[in-house]
Amino acid sequence: MKIHHSPLTRRQLLAVLAALAAPLAPTVARAHSYKLGDIAVGHIWASAPESGEGVAVYGPILNRGDGAAQLTGASTPAAEQVRIRMATEGEEHWVDSIDLEPGKPLALAPWRQHLWLTDVKRELKEGDAFELLLDFGQAGTLTVQVEIEPEGGH
């Protein structure tokens, strides 16, 4: 059986490289990185939404432990609801959790799993930030800062 892999776009490659490099970068350069036990979270960002749209949230996560871990949800005072959205081959659907395999970086990205905020409570524009509580189930919760940035910068 022959398996066909489509080539990564430049954007996909940069996101994967950022996810791999984030845990290795010096502490000073990682002003927006976080840790919860064996779970490392890199710079979390979103693009400013178009009027009336939801907000997609992206960034790298790494399970440095030996056992399984999961991102089971998130919440924020900036929106009524945060869900995990899966985008594959142009189709979208919602999932209850994201498995974090030990030692394998995961990038929350437009072409795969990412967080989706609906019913945003205030206008978000470039330069703004808001808190997001990530729920890692049994591992606990972690509050991160989401930076609103230009999408082309990632």
Side-chain angles (χ1 to χ4, degrees), residues 15-149:
V16 169
L17 291 174
L20 292 171
L24 304 174
T27 303
V28 174
R30 296 187 308 161
H32 299 290
S33 41
Y34 309 87
K35 189 170 187 229
L36 174 67
D38 289 330
I39 298 170
V41 177
H43 177 66
I44 303 296
W45 66 280
S47 293
E50 298 293 324
S51 180
E53 285 188 1
V55 176
V57 176
Y58 310 117
I61 303 174
L62 175 63
N63 175 6
R64 293 181 177 178
D66 295 328
Q70 285 188 324
L71 176 63
T72 60
S75 61
T76 179
E80 286 295 324
Q81 186 176 35
V82 181
R83 297 172 68 192
I84 301 171
R85 183 170 139 177
M86 173 70 98
T88 52
E89 297 181 20
E91 293 190 23
E92 302 167 354
H93 60 277
W94 307 100
V95 296
D96 294 328
S97 63
I98 299 173
D99 292 327
L100 304 172
E101 296 179 37
K104 185 176 178 186
L106 173 88
L108 299 175
W111 64 89
R112 59 176 314 147
Q113 306 104 318
H114 54 270
L115 299 177
W116 186 258
L117 283 60
T118 54
D119 298 323
V120 177
K121 296 178 181 179
R122 63 181 173 94
E123 181 184 357
L124 296 171
K125 57 189 181 312
E126 254 181 64
D128 288 346
F130 61 90
E131 286 190 347
L132 179 71
L133 182 72
L134 300 174
D135 186 346
F136 291 100
Q138 292 180 340
T141 59
L142 179 66
T143 300
V144 300
Q145 189 84 2
V146 179
E147 305 288 330
I148 305 297
E149 300 179 356

